[in-house]
Amino acid sequence: MKKTSVIVIGAGVAGIAAAARLAQQGLHVTVLEKNPQAGGRCDRICREGHHFDTGPTLLVMPLLYEAEFAALGCSAREMLQLQRVDPTYHLVFDDGSQLALTSDLHSMRRQLESIEPKSFPGFLRYLEEGHRHYHLGMERLVNRDFRRASDFFTLGNLPLLIQLKPFIGHYRNMSAYFDEPRLKAAFTFQDVYMGLSPFEAPATFSMMPYSELAHGVWYPKGGMRRVVEALMEIARAAGVEFVFDASVARIDASADRARGVVLADGRRLEAEVMLANADLPYVYRELLPQDERANQLEKKRFSCSVVSFFWGLDKKYEALNPHTLFLADDYRQNFKSIIDDLTIPENPSLYIHAPARLDPSMAPAGEDTLIAIVPVGHMGRNGGQDWGEIQDQARGHVFRRLKSLGITDLADHIKFEINFTPPSWRKRYNLMKGATHGLCHNLTQLGYFRPSNRHARYLNLYFAGASTRPGTGIPTALVSGRLAAERIMDELGG
Ligand SMILES: Cc1cc2nc3c(=O)[nH]c(=O)nc-3n(C[C@H](O)[C@H](O)[C@H](O)COP(=O)(O)OP(=O)(O)OC[C@H]3O[C@@H](n4cnc5c(N)ncnc54)[C@H](O)[C@@H]3O)c2cc1C
């Protein structure tokens, strides 16, 4: 019997996960990827023996990886050879004080109380709330497909309006647990992963710091890229066909069907089912016949972006921990600059990753591999941002911050630099506005309110990825791929 044919546009994590699942169900799946390799934002650059994960560097929410790999018939633990990273982050504050976030509660008590006396019970209560939010959030929001409004607006979901604290700001909610601004920052900065400021993120997101401490932050042997390699092994074993350097220029669609795609080189391909993994607002704007929906999506709130530096160093900085985060005192202003003013803060919070501390093979012997990420605004509608200038400022801030840790000679030991600015993110992965996390996760863009996994008019066109449901991050991309694939299978069956 002829197999139903599926075209997947994009070999990001959500695209590969969906493709693997559909092929395992007996469909004929072809994945078209514009870049020469799979992975999308979970990308890898290698140069002179230095290996850089260019997007994700933290394997968080490991329970989701386990569940999603198990749903594909595999074991995440076995395939990824995970090691736990504990302490997770080394936080450095403007006054030089530090906090190593760890699941060792004795150490946490000592460290927290040296910053704010008697704060440890507040920390335990915060974890309790995070635990509640995590489990409810996973069960009722993340792992759910809201195909109809009635799947979301149920009597059973009503108590969530109290239980998940969606109408209370995350930062404001911290006053119930801590007085010290440094501690409020230490357990809310993760909101930036959702593209949000803690001053507007719902308190629901305490699930993130909770999960990092309770379930751990992990590192696959060989880095985050290993997640993509593992998924590709699963997908290829199921029979998925990958075509690289195949940029889709247009989706042919008419009446209520998507018919096929036209590639940039003019080739046409047809399929019975289409799944777009490329950034959803971009798909509406650039690939589909124009309609009002593309304008509506463009007006939605987008996440921030980042300037990233990838440095190959001829010296090893052994004292540098795997994940170091510099948190600025002017925390509120930092988010305002990034999110409202679309620029770089005067004194930005920033993150530095030294992968060779976790896996020595990430750098040549005696040398080091360093990644620095500085959050900045996404590209403005009318341009006007001088990315060269912003990038120079960002680099200067990284050097300044490292000096405060006693690393004064970094600039002298850089063999080469590769860097990404918001226009690079847009160009490499077709991310609208160069927003690294796609549409952000404010209340009106969460759950049922996030763009659906299926097109409203073209009923055989589905979506999987960061800007659709459930949202951004590698584990959620895995869930998104599964939700889209399950819907396709259900609707083909029906
Ligand atoms: C700097 C940074 C740090 C991050 N850190 C973390 C982290 O530590 N932990 C974590 O879990 N998550 C992290 N994330 C988020 C995570 O990387 C993303 O949410 C996830 O990779 C998104 O996967 P996706 O499948 O939705 O989309 P993408 O990765 O965007 O995949 C879409 C694919 O579609 C392709 N494509 C686009 N247009 C076309 C076209 N016209 N034709 C053909 N192909 C096309 C793209 O090239 C791409 O390969 C980070 C992201 C960034 C950018």
Side-chain angles (χ1 to χ4, degrees), residues 165-374:
K165 296 192 172 176
F167 299 117
I168 301 178
H170 196 182
Y171 193 83
R172 185 157 71 84
N173 191 45
M174 296 311 282
S175 303
Y177 305 104
F178 305 109
D179 291 326
E180 170 56 54
R182 283 173 293 171
L183 298 189
K184 292 182 185 175
F187 301 107
T188 54
F189 70 82
Q190 296 84 348
D191 294 347
V192 80
Y193 303 159
M194 302 288 132
L196 281 178
S197 146
F199 298 95
E200 81 167 321
T204 319
F205 286 133
S206 60
M207 66 168 80
M208 291 289 296
Y210 158 76
S211 176
E212 287 180 351
L213 289 173
H215 309 141
V217 169
W218 298 76
Y219 191 75
K221 190 169 167 42
M224 287 300 285
R225 180 71 190 164
R226 179 64 201 137
V227 176
V228 173
E229 290 166 1
L231 288 171
M232 290 292 284
E233 285 165 29
I234 299 170
R236 285 198 160 117
V240 176
E241 189 189 328
F242 287 89
V243 187
F244 295 105
D245 297 310
S247 182
V248 172
R250 198 174 82 229
I251 298 174
D252 263 344
S254 56
D256 64 352
R257 314 294 292 170
R259 318 264 158 198
V261 294
V262 180
L263 300 185
D265 62 11
R267 272 181 294 165
R268 282 172 184 275
L269 299 169
E270 290 186 352
E272 286 144 279
V273 175
M274 315 266 296
L275 186 142
N277 169 224
D279 193 33
L280 183 141
Y282 153 84
V283 174
Y284 274 84
R285 169 58 74 216
E286 303 291 339
L287 302 188
L288 283 168
Q290 287 310 290
D291 63 12
E292 190 43 35
R293 182 74 179 136
N295 296 335
Q296 289 166 358
L297 282 165
E298 210 165 323
K299 285 188 198 131
K300 283 189 179 286
R301 292 275 313 279
F302 283 72
S303 69
C304 60
S305 189
V306 300
V307 171
S308 299
F309 299 98
F310 307 101
W311 287 312
L313 304 166
D314 64 14
K315 177 178 168 184
K316 200 176 185 105
Y317 290 90
E318 204 70 72
L320 209 48
N321 289 296
H323 304 292
T324 306
L325 205 88
F326 293 89
L327 284 177
D329 276 353
D330 40 6
Y331 195 55
R332 186 187 290 269
Q333 182 57 36
N334 243 267
F335 285 103
K336 185 180 173 303
S337 303
I338 295 165
I339 288 165
D340 300 336
D341 307 338
L342 303 183
T343 185
I344 183 169
E346 272 180 27
N347 172 32
S349 296
L350 56 91
Y351 161 76
I352 293 179
H353 176 44
R357 290 307 85 70
L358 297 167
D359 181 347
S361 72
M362 301 300 276
E367 303 195 346
D368 222 341
T369 294
L370 225 61
I371 298 172
I373 300 186
V374 185

Side-chain angles (χ1 to χ4, degrees), residues 9-15 32-35 37-42 54-60 65 193 224 246-249 277-279 282 287 306 308 373 425 428-431 436-437 464-467 471-477:
I9 305 171
V13 167
L32 305 172
E33 167 57 51
K34 77 183 260 293
N35 288 331
Q37 61 185 20
R41 280 167 260 188
C42 194
T54 52
T57 53
L58 301 152
L59 193 147
V60 292
Y65 283 84
Y193 303 159
M224 287 300 285
S247 182
V248 172
N277 169 224
D279 193 33
Y282 153 84
L287 302 188
V306 300
S308 299
I373 300 186
W425 295 105
R428 284 179 80 99
Y429 311 109
N430 284 336
L431 299 177
T436 40
H437 300 282
S467 288
T472 187
I474 299 292
T476 22

Side-chain angles (χ1 to χ4, degrees), residues 118-129:
K118 302 202 175 89
S119 57
F120 189 65
F123 169 66
L124 292 182
R125 283 189 294 109
Y126 182 62
L127 285 185
E128 233 174 85
E129 177 169 289

Side-chain angles (χ1 to χ4, degrees), residues 90-141:
H90 285 80
L91 306 183
V92 185
F93 300 99
D94 279 354
D95 65 358
S97 58
Q98 298 195 15
L99 172 60
L101 295 181
T102 166
S103 56
D104 175 346
L105 292 183
H106 294 294
S107 166
M108 281 304 272
R109 178 195 287 272
R110 189 176 38 74
Q111 295 187 79
L112 292 175
E113 301 212 332
S114 76
I115 294 178
E116 180 185 332
K118 302 202 175 89
S119 57
F120 189 65
F123 169 66
L124 292 182
R125 283 189 294 109
Y126 182 62
L127 285 185
E128 233 174 85
E129 177 169 289
H131 170 85
R132 207 168 44 247
H133 288 178
Y134 177 87
H135 289 284
L136 272 172
M138 289 302 131
E139 184 194 319
R140 309 290 276 279
L141 293 176

